[in-house]
Structure formats: structure tokens, C-alpha cells
Amino acid sequence: MAETIPAGSTTDGVIQVGQPTDARVSAPASYDVADFPVPHGREEDWRFTPLERLRGLHDGTAVADGGVKVEVTAPEGVTVETVGRDDARLGKAGKPVDRVAAQAYSSFEKASVVSVPKETVLTEPVRIAVHGEGGTAFGHQVVEVGAFAEAVVVIDHTGDATLAANVEYLIGDGAKLTVVSVQDWDDTAVHAGQHTALVGRDASFKSVVVTFGGDLVRLHPRVVYGAPGGEAELYGVYFTDNGQHQEHRLFIDHDTPHCRSNVAYKGALQGAEAHAVWIGDVLIRAAAEGTDTYELNRNLVLTDGARVDSVPNLEIETGEIVGAGHASATGRFEDEQLFYLMARGIPADEARRLVVRGFFAELVQQIGIPDLEERLISKIEAELEASVG
């Protein structure tokens, strides 16, 4: 299903009511974990998540008995700091919106802050390596980009951990920030995280979320606008394998006039009990005249036994918009495509790789870092070797 909504009109499936921000979540945003009830799985924002696999991150029983090692490699001019909980930049992008994010905010001891000075244009990416060393940990990361600066940041998650963490992106006026968040965990890891971007006047934010590893990964990318003219692009690639649960819950809060957003996530699934969840929430408030937004989710099911839940939501409180729409589709691997390639002399295994690689190629290319793109394509092909190749 695809919908495009010109300014001043509505279509079926689009809610035109004055609901409060995050009407589908069970409690208002808060830094205090006590403000969130313990989820039981019946709540709208938890109904797809297997709570028993969160290892206590959701109900307060998780104890910080492990750790993650964070290493930052940054070009000259970038400031890297480890700060305490009293640093004024922490929490500036926005409050936690669920109990796990609030638990992470209440439990971390030190935060990492990466700052790019105003008017600085980086020619090399900032690389943040987050490596799990076992056990349970809570974390907090801030990336701050000054006015009219330009930066690319890669956050690479590897190893084994049970991690709840919040990441904040503060994008100054006229600045451009691209963030690539890679979840390449060991198969036993659990990762729940909220990513919140505060986009300044005429600023640009691009997020590329890549999820492969982990037993359970539940990410909550969010965008809020601090002033008119902001632009956000949210891209995602996920490959959900046998027994994995990968959940991406996006929310874009258009509360400011003349801002833009574009969302495109693609996933492939294979194996028994593979479960992918994609929730795309866009709210256009009454004050956000001149908004232009679109969101897309595509899923490719490679084998029997895999399950996808894809739910795009669009709420509009003003008719004075440039346009808004969404599309979501899930389909099986098409034998016709395979036959077409095999009829031209391409072996079946290679033909399957080509189809899946082509499915992901457009979004992988959004990364713009050759060595990382090659690594991710290799990872996709390695996943295919398991049961498709």
C-alpha cells in the first residue's frame, strides 16, 4: 500500500485527529524510570517485543555486572570527552520515551561526548567502537556538531553484552551530520537503544542504521526539530536470521514549520522464528505548516518460518503541508527473478546473491564510506551462505 497526500487533502488510513505526541506509547516521556509502568506485552509499544528475552532491562531486575569498551578515533579538531551525569549536554536532545531508555538514563555512570566545532568540515569519519565484554551494561553517548560544521560518525557495535543505551545527536544551525550505526553483535547479545536527534535551523541529519547481529535488538530512532528548515533522512538495513528478533521503532516529530523528512528501511529474513518489526510513526502537528515527509518499508522473506510486522503510522493535524505519505510491503523471494538470471547462465546460488544484493544496494550506498559498505555487503553474503547460498 502506498499513499501520497497533497497539501490540504486526506486519504483513508491517515489519522486527522488532535492526539498528543506519542499517542501510541503508554506513558509520557521522562528521565525517571518510576514514571513508566513495567510493560507486560499488551501495550501498543511493547506488543511485538518478547519481553522475556530482554533479560530484565524492562522491569528493573537487570544489574550492571558487565561492561562495554568504547574507543573513539577522531580527526584533528574533534573533542572527545568522558563526562559525569551533571554535564549540561546530557538529555538536551530529548527525554527517554520508554522504561528501558529511562532505565539506561538513570543507570549510566559516565557518558561519552564527541564535539565537532562550528564551521569545521571533517574529511574523515569519526569512528566510535562499542565492544561488549559480557554481562549487563548501561551507556550514554552524545554527538554534538556545531553550526555550519559537517561530519560523518560511525558507531560500530560488536561483541557480547546486554546493553541499554541512549544516543543523542545535537545538530547546530546549518550543520550536516551523517551517522552510521552498525549492530554487528554476537548472536547472544541483547541491545535496546533510543537514538534522538535534535535538528537545528536549516540543518541536515542523515541516519543509516544497519542491524545484523544479536539475539534481540530493539532500537528507537527519533527526530525532533529545533527550528524551521531542518531536514532528516533515516535509512535502515536489517538481515534477520534464524531465531533473531530485530525491532526498529521510528518517530519523527514535525512540530516546526517548513521541515522535511524521508524514511526508507529495508529488511531480509530467513530461518525459523526470524522476526523483524518495523514501526514508522510520523506526527505533523498543527504548527508544522509546510512539512514534507515520506516513509517506506520493504521486506524480503527468503524462507518459510520468518515473520514480519510492518506498521507505518501518519498523524496530521494541519492541512497546510507540502506532502505526506507512506508505503509498506512484504514479499517472498520471487522465483521468476531467479529463473530470469539462471536462464542467462548464472548459477542459482549466485543468482540469489545478486537479487538480495540488489535489494539492499541503494540503501547501503547511502553510507558513503567504501570500506564499511564493502564490509556490510560481505556480511549480507555471509548470511546468505548459511541457508540461501
Side-chain angles (χ1 to χ4, degrees):
M1 178 181 66
E3 298 176 323
T4 301
I5 307 168
S9 66
T10 64
T11 68
D12 290 341
V14 178
I15 304 172
Q16 283 273 54
V17 296
Q19 298 187 26
T21 303
D22 287 351
R24 283 170 295 278
V25 299
S26 57
S30 173
Y31 298 114
D32 188 352
V33 67
D35 290 337
F36 296 91
V38 175
H40 298 285
R42 295 181 297 274
E43 303 84 355
E44 177 60 31
D45 47 329
W46 291 103
R47 65 188 179 101
F48 294 117
T49 308
L51 297 178
E52 70 280 0
R53 291 166 64 179
L54 282 171
R55 301 176 186 167
L57 293 177
H58 66 297
D59 62 10
T61 61
V63 178
D65 58 1
V68 293
K69 184 179 181 181
V70 180
E71 295 183 341
V72 181
T73 303
E76 185 177 355
V78 176
T79 302
V80 180
E81 305 169 78
T82 299
V83 302
R85 298 182 55 86
D86 58 347
D87 191 284
R89 292 166 292 188
L90 305 186
K92 188 175 180 181
K95 299 177 181 179
V97 297
D98 65 29
R99 186 179 174 92
V100 174
Q103 184 69 65
Y105 193 88
S106 300
S107 303
F108 77 89
E109 295 181 357
K110 299 289 184 180
S112 175
V113 179
V114 174
S115 302
V116 181
K118 65 179 183 179
E119 300 179 355
T120 300
V121 178
L122 300 183
T123 57
E124 295 292 332
V126 177
R127 297 180 185 262
I128 304 173
V130 180
H131 185 73
E133 298 181 325
T136 299
F138 302 95
H140 200 95
Q141 174 76 56
V142 176
V143 176
E144 182 180 37
V145 181
F148 303 103
E150 297 183 17
V152 176
V153 176
V154 179
I155 306 177
D156 197 357
H157 300 87
T158 58
D160 179 36
T162 299
L163 175 67
N166 296 311
V167 185
E168 300 183 70
Y169 307 116
L170 306 175
I171 304 107
D173 294 348
K176 295 181 179 180
L177 173 63
T178 296
V179 176
V180 184
S181 178
V182 181
Q183 284 61 240
D184 195 10
W185 295 104
D186 293 349
D187 291 341
T188 51
V190 171
H191 179 195
Q194 178 176 318
H195 303 171
T196 308
L198 176 59
V199 183
R201 182 181 298 274
D202 299 323
S204 297
F205 172 65
K206 180 163 78 171
S207 164
V208 184
V209 172
V210 182
T211 303
F212 289 119
D215 176 65
L216 182 149
V217 175
R218 187 183 195 267
L219 300 181
H220 203 320
R222 301 172 60 81
V223 174
V224 293
Y225 297 89
E231 181 176 76
E233 298 175 282
L234 276 63
Y235 300 107
V237 172
Y238 50 93
F239 200 116
T240 313
D241 213 339
N242 184 43
Q244 288 183 312
H245 179 93
Q246 296 174 349
E247 184 168 345
H248 301 88
R249 309 183 67 92
L250 288 68
F251 180 73
I252 300 178
D253 187 357
H254 279 284
D255 62 346
T256 303
H258 305 294
C259 292
R260 298 173 299 280
S261 65
N262 182 58
V263 174
Y265 270 59
K266 287 187 176 182
L269 298 90
Q270 68 179 10
E273 305 300 324
H275 187 195
V277 178
W278 181 87
I279 309 295
D281 290 336
V282 177
L283 171 62
I284 304 175
R285 300 204 220 186
E289 297 180 354
T291 292
D292 190 4
T293 182
Y294 192 81
E295 59 176 344
L296 167 74
N297 180 229
R298 292 280 186 265
N299 295 284
L300 182 61
V301 178
L302 301 175
T303 65
D304 292 336
R307 172 187 168 189
V308 179
D309 290 289
S310 178
V311 185
N313 296 302
L314 179 58
E315 300 180 18
I316 304 175
E317 298 177 354
T318 176
E320 300 300 321
I321 60 174
V322 174
H326 58 68
S328 172
T330 298
R332 294 188 176 274
F333 190 95
E334 294 185 9
D335 290 335
E336 290 183 5
Q337 293 177 307
L338 186 62
F339 177 80
Y340 177 87
L341 293 171
M342 292 177 64
R344 282 147 181 80
I346 300 174
D349 292 353
E350 181 63 22
R352 286 179 180 272
R353 292 190 189 96
L354 288 173
V355 171
V356 177
R357 188 169 182 165
F359 176 74
F360 283 126
E362 179 184 4
L363 297 189
V364 172
Q365 290 170 1
Q366 292 291 336
I367 294 172
I369 304 172
D371 67 298
L372 186 54
E373 290 180 3
E374 291 174 8
R375 171 188 159 195
L376 298 179
I377 289 296
S378 296
K379 183 71 176 180
I380 291 170
E381 293 184 348
E383 294 279 3
L384 290 170
E385 286 284 350
S387 65
V388 178

